Amino acid sequence: EKEILRLAEEAKKRKNAEAARSLEEASDAARRARQGMQQGDQDETQQQQEQTREKLDEAAKQLEEERDRYLDQRQEEMLFKMKEELVAFLEKQRPITAETLALQKAAGQEGLSRPARRKLNQFAEEEQGLATRLQTLTTALAEEGNLVYRMQLDQNREDLQEVARRLAGRNPDASNYTTLLQTEIETRTEHLLEALAREQKRREDNRNQQQQQQSQAQNRFNQQQQK
């Protein structure tokens, strides 16, 4: 009875109608088992106890399946949000990389001009802002327990902070190493987007396969009913 009450509270909280029905049937079976014990009917008691356990297992399984669906949905939402963030990130990073490279090539023997230094200082602030945005994303991934994508984003964040440090100050460094870091950040982000696309396709294929299996099972059931 304690287990029925615990699961019933969980089913009510999650608004799971199937689990609630299974628990109601478990409660009825438990009540009949108690009556059988009071009347000394061992066969009835044992039968109703088995029915109670079966319905409890059924309810627990239904709640677990709902939990898995909920977690899977959260993962899907995270992947979608992450894709949006990375696309927006690339749209901001690519012009910075291109202009940093252009300023590097335009520098004469006397080095960078004053306007060029101011422009690179501005890029330093923008790169630091992008690093902060990635930090927010990696924190969200850490909360979801996703280590693979988080490691890649952490590397991007560290490289962005290094680029920001190099482009800041009175003598910003727009050397080959700085633009190499920027290019690697872009390449790593593109690879992440490709990995996200593959993962989303895998999930979609799994859903389609499950729906197909459910449809086949329903067709077999309908055929059995007709027979």
Side-chain angles (χ1 to χ4, degrees):
E1 287 178 344
K2 288 180 182 179
E3 182 68 6
I4 291 171
L5 288 173
R6 184 186 71 79
L7 289 174
E9 185 65 27
E10 190 172 348
K12 182 180 178 182
K13 191 186 304 180
R14 298 189 188 182
K15 299 179 180 179
N16 189 314
E18 288 184 356
R21 280 196 298 272
S22 296
L23 289 166
E24 187 176 346
E25 292 174 5
S27 180
D28 290 341
R31 178 177 50 78
R32 290 193 296 270
R34 185 169 60 250
Q35 291 174 349
M37 292 177 71
Q38 291 170 348
Q39 295 168 3
D41 188 340
Q42 293 184 359
D43 291 340
E44 175 67 10
T45 299
Q46 185 175 0
Q47 182 180 349
Q48 294 305 323
Q49 285 176 335
E50 288 294 334
Q51 178 77 1
T52 302
R53 279 195 291 269
E54 182 182 326
K55 291 300 176 181
L56 277 175
D57 290 342
E58 194 175 292
K61 183 180 178 182
Q62 288 160 344
L63 289 170
E64 184 67 21
E65 287 175 350
E66 184 190 9
R67 176 180 173 275
D68 290 343
R69 286 194 298 270
Y70 170 72
L71 291 176
D72 190 60
Q73 184 180 0
R74 282 191 60 175
Q75 286 285 332
E76 292 248 5
E77 290 171 356
M78 173 61 68
L79 292 175
F80 182 76
K81 180 180 178 182
M82 187 175 168
K83 181 180 178 180
E84 284 188 327
E85 286 285 338
L86 291 180
V87 169
F89 171 84
L90 270 181
E91 288 176 354
K92 290 182 177 295
Q93 180 60 47
R94 282 171 174 156
I96 296 174
T97 303
E99 291 190 48
T100 303
L101 184 59
L103 290 172
Q104 175 198 109
K105 291 180 178 179
Q109 292 181 350
E110 296 179 358
L112 295 164
S113 64
R114 183 175 297 178
R117 290 197 296 271
R118 283 200 299 268
K119 191 68 175 175
L120 290 172
N121 288 165
Q122 177 188 332
F123 290 159
E125 293 177 3
E126 292 178 14
E127 296 285 51
Q128 186 58 52
L130 289 174
T132 302
R133 287 184 65 176
L134 288 188
Q135 178 61 55
T136 303
L137 191 55
T138 53
T139 300
L141 286 172
E143 290 173 355
E144 294 295 325
N146 191 317
L147 300 179
V148 178
Y149 298 130
R150 194 187 75 180
M151 288 174 62
Q152 297 293 317
L153 291 172
D154 271 337
Q155 185 62 57
N156 268 2
R157 178 181 55 80
E158 291 174 6
D159 286 350
L160 281 168
Q161 290 174 334
E162 176 61 18
V163 171
R165 185 189 68 79
R166 286 172 166 272
L167 298 181
R170 297 179 61 183
N171 296 304
D173 176 11
S175 64
N176 288 334
Y177 184 69
T178 301
T179 53
L180 175 64
L181 284 176
Q182 291 174 320
T183 303
E184 286 182 349
I185 290 166
E186 290 183 18
T187 302
R188 202 177 291 123
T189 305
E190 290 164 357
H191 289 166
L192 273 172
L193 283 169
E194 291 169 3
L196 285 172
R198 288 194 299 271
E199 176 62 13
Q200 287 177 321
K201 186 178 185 306
R202 184 189 68 80
R203 287 170 177 268
E204 185 178 353
D205 290 344
N206 283 345
R207 273 197 304 272
N208 291 338
Q209 186 178 1
Q210 288 173 0
Q211 289 172 357
Q212 186 178 5
Q213 289 173 348
Q214 289 171 357
S215 177
Q216 290 173 349
Q218 184 63 41
N219 288 338
R220 285 196 295 269
F221 177 73
N222 291 339
Q223 290 171 2
Q224 287 296 109
Q225 275 192 321
Q226 288 175 354
K227 289 179 181 180

